């Protein structure tokens, strides 16, 4: 029996101090090519800037793995031996210590998208109507039983046949350093830009970053509408595994010379992949051609016969264009293809 307790402490620092840009326009004259970016910098006239504000100073991703194994070797006769065993693996999906975690719930009603399916859900049950209920989106897989069998048989004093078969599971997989974490709703990237064609600076740097915005957290199932968000498929904790089998025949010709002939094969199932986007356009709709790129405008109820997904949709689309193609997606409220962070839809086969 083996137990592994996994911890990943994360301290967010990226862009906490902000990123600031200076332009010649802020010290130039209207209609004349003039001004100097260095002069704008010396005057602290910011052309555009952004900073990330977080409601958490740190968060802690947790997980654990249980492993149990039994095996034995049985010498049935002087010529025949069998090695057998079974292993069980249980790798829990990652969670955040205090449920500071958010992700796509592809089935939950989105109150800011006309009640259609697909919302930002928050881990656990402490976040009111935005709570997901479980601490992680995946359903924990408890059936990772992996039998192994090996057989060796001596055909003669100089010839041996060996064969074997086994199943081998991997641990739960989350790419990158975040351990499956996403903090949508717990942080915000705030930006300001100059106006009047660049003549009016966004703000004066020595007066500090403007504070006329609502700081996070934003515990709202519609918070990421018109943007992207993290998707962890519900079935992604069904662990990846391989089946391996082989057959070897070995014959000794002299005391220091022998030949082995072997067949080796394996088949991988549910391997890490990026091949099954949740938010993809139905290929049958590609026949619409360039009409897919036409865009909705405020007040439109339909374009090219395609209805507006829901009231307020055009105004929400700040991360991508409110095109006909976007309106026809399964989740038109989100701008990404929604590839699963820990998707495991891959397969492989090898024979040698």
């Amino acid at each position: 029996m083996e137990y592994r307790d996994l911890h990943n402490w994360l301290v967010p620092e990226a862009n906490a101090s902000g990123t600031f840009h200076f332009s010649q326009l802020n010290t130039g004259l209207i209609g004349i090519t003039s001004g100097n970016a260095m002069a704008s910098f010396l005057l602290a006239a910011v052309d555009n800037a952004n900073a990330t504000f977080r409601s958490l100073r740190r968060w802690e991703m947790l997980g654990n793995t249980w492993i149990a194994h039994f095996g034995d070797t049985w010498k049935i006769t002087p010529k025949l031996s069998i090695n057998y065993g079974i292993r069980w693996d249980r790798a829990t999906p990652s969670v955040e210590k205090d449920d500071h975690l958010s992700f796509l719930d592809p089935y939950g009603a989105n109150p800011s998208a006309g009640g259609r399916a697909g919302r930002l859900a928050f881990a656990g049950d402490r976040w009111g109507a935005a709570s997901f209920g479980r601490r992680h989106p995946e359903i924990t897989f408890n059936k990772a039983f992996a039998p192994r069998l090996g057989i060796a048989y001596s055909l003669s004093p100089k010839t041996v046949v060996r064969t074997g078969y086994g199943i081998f599971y991997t641990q739960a997989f989350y790419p990158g350093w975040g351990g499956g974490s996403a903090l949508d709703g717990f942080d915000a990237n705030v930006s300001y830009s100059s106006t009047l064609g660049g003549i009016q600076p966004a703000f004066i740097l020595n007066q500090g970053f403007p504070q006329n915005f609502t700081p996070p957290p934003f515990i709202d199932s519609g918070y990421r509408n018109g943007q992207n968000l993290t998707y962890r498929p519900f079935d992604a904790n069904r662990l990846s595994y391989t089946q391996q089998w082989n057959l070897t025949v070995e014959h000794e010709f002299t005391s220091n010379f022998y030949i082995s002939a072997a067949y080796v094969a394996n088949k991988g199932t549910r391997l890490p992949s990026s091949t099954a986007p949740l938010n993809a356009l139905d290929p049958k709709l590609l026949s619409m051609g360039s009409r897919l790129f036409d865009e909705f405008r405020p007040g439109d109820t339909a374009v090219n016969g395609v209805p507006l997904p829901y009231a307020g949709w055009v105004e929400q689309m700040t991360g991508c264009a409110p095109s006909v193609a976007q309106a026809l997606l399964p989740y038109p409220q989100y701008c990404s293809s929604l590839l699963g962070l820990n998707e495991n839809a891959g397969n492989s086969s090898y024979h040698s």
Side-chain angles (χ1 to χ4, degrees), residues 30-59:
I30 297 177
I32 301 175
T33 302
S34 57
N36 185 281
M38 181 57 71
S40 298
F41 170 73
L42 294 173
L43 292 173
V46 178
D47 179 66
N48 64 84
N50 65 85
T52 301
F53 292 84
R54 297 179 172 86
S55 59
L56 305 174
R57 296 189 61 183
R58 78 168 204 170
W59 66 99

Side-chain angles (χ1 to χ4, degrees), residues 135-277:
R135 300 191 67 195
H136 48 75
E138 301 90 347
I139 298 172
T140 304
F141 185 58
N142 295 312
K143 299 180 180 180
F145 293 97
R148 291 95 188 268
L149 176 66
I151 300 173
Y153 181 71
S154 178
L155 291 174
S156 70
K158 293 189 176 184
T159 304
V160 177
V161 177
R162 299 183 181 90
T163 187
Y165 172 82
I167 295 177
F168 303 86
Y169 283 91
T170 66
Q171 64 184 33
F173 176 74
Y174 297 94
W177 296 98
S181 63
L183 295 178
D184 293 326
F186 294 103
D187 54 22
N189 186 269
V190 180
S191 61
Y192 292 92
S193 297
S194 58
T195 56
L196 300 178
I199 299 299
Q200 178 66 42
F203 58 90
I204 303 302
L205 185 58
N206 58 13
Q207 296 177 2
F209 197 92
Q211 297 296 307
N212 57 334
F213 62 90
T214 302
F218 307 103
I219 309 303
D220 179 359
S221 290
Y223 174 64
R224 294 299 292 174
N225 286 9
Q227 301 290 326
N228 305 321
L229 76 173
T230 297
Y231 171 45
R232 288 169 48 172
F234 286 8
D235 64 349
N237 191 242
R238 290 189 62 185
L239 303 179
S240 304
Y241 69 94
T242 63
Q243 300 176 74
Q244 302 180 18
W245 60 95
N246 61 76
L247 174 65
T248 303
V249 178
E250 184 176 294
H251 182 75
E252 180 184 295
F253 290 91
T254 68
S255 59
N256 57 6
F257 176 71
Y258 65 90
I259 292 178
S260 293
Y263 163 70
V264 179
N266 67 62
K267 181 182 184 301
T269 304
R270 300 191 63 84
L271 304 179
S273 61
S274 296
T275 60

Side-chain angles (χ1 to χ4, degrees), residues 45-83:
V46 178
D47 179 66
N48 64 84
N50 65 85
T52 301
F53 292 84
R54 297 179 172 86
S55 59
L56 305 174
R57 296 189 61 183
R58 78 168 204 170
W59 66 99
E60 182 179 350
M61 298 301 294
L62 309 174
N64 60 67
T65 301
W66 288 90
I67 301 168
H69 179 262
F70 167 80
D72 196 9
T73 299
W74 181 20
K75 191 173 181 65
I76 300 175
T77 71
K79 289 187 174 184
L80 177 63
S81 296
I82 296 179
N83 181 280

Side-chain angles (χ1 to χ4, degrees), residues 69-157:
H69 179 262
F70 167 80
D72 196 9
T73 299
W74 181 20
K75 191 173 181 65
I76 300 175
T77 71
K79 289 187 174 184
L80 177 63
S81 296
I82 296 179
N83 181 280
Y84 56 92
I86 188 168
R87 171 175 166 141
W88 173 74
D89 290 80
R90 182 181 187 270
T92 62
S94 65
V95 300
E96 203 282 325
K97 180 181 178 182
D98 298 309
D99 288 340
H100 293 127
L101 188 66
S102 60
F103 40 78
L104 171 69
D105 173 5
Y107 305 110
N110 189 322
S112 299
R116 68 186 306 133
R119 65 169 183 145
L120 178 66
F122 293 80
D125 54 13
R126 59 179 292 194
W127 310 108
S131 298
F132 182 65
R134 294 197 304 267
R135 300 191 67 195
H136 48 75
E138 301 90 347
I139 298 172
T140 304
F141 185 58
N142 295 312
K143 299 180 180 180
F145 293 97
R148 291 95 188 268
L149 176 66
I151 300 173
Y153 181 71
S154 178
L155 291 174
S156 70

Side-chain angles (χ1 to χ4, degrees), residues 277-286 292 324-330:
L278 194 65
N279 204 25
L281 189 68
D282 188 333
K284 293 184 294 186
L285 298 172
L286 295 177
L292 290 169
V324 170
Q326 181 69 30
L328 289 169
L329 293 177

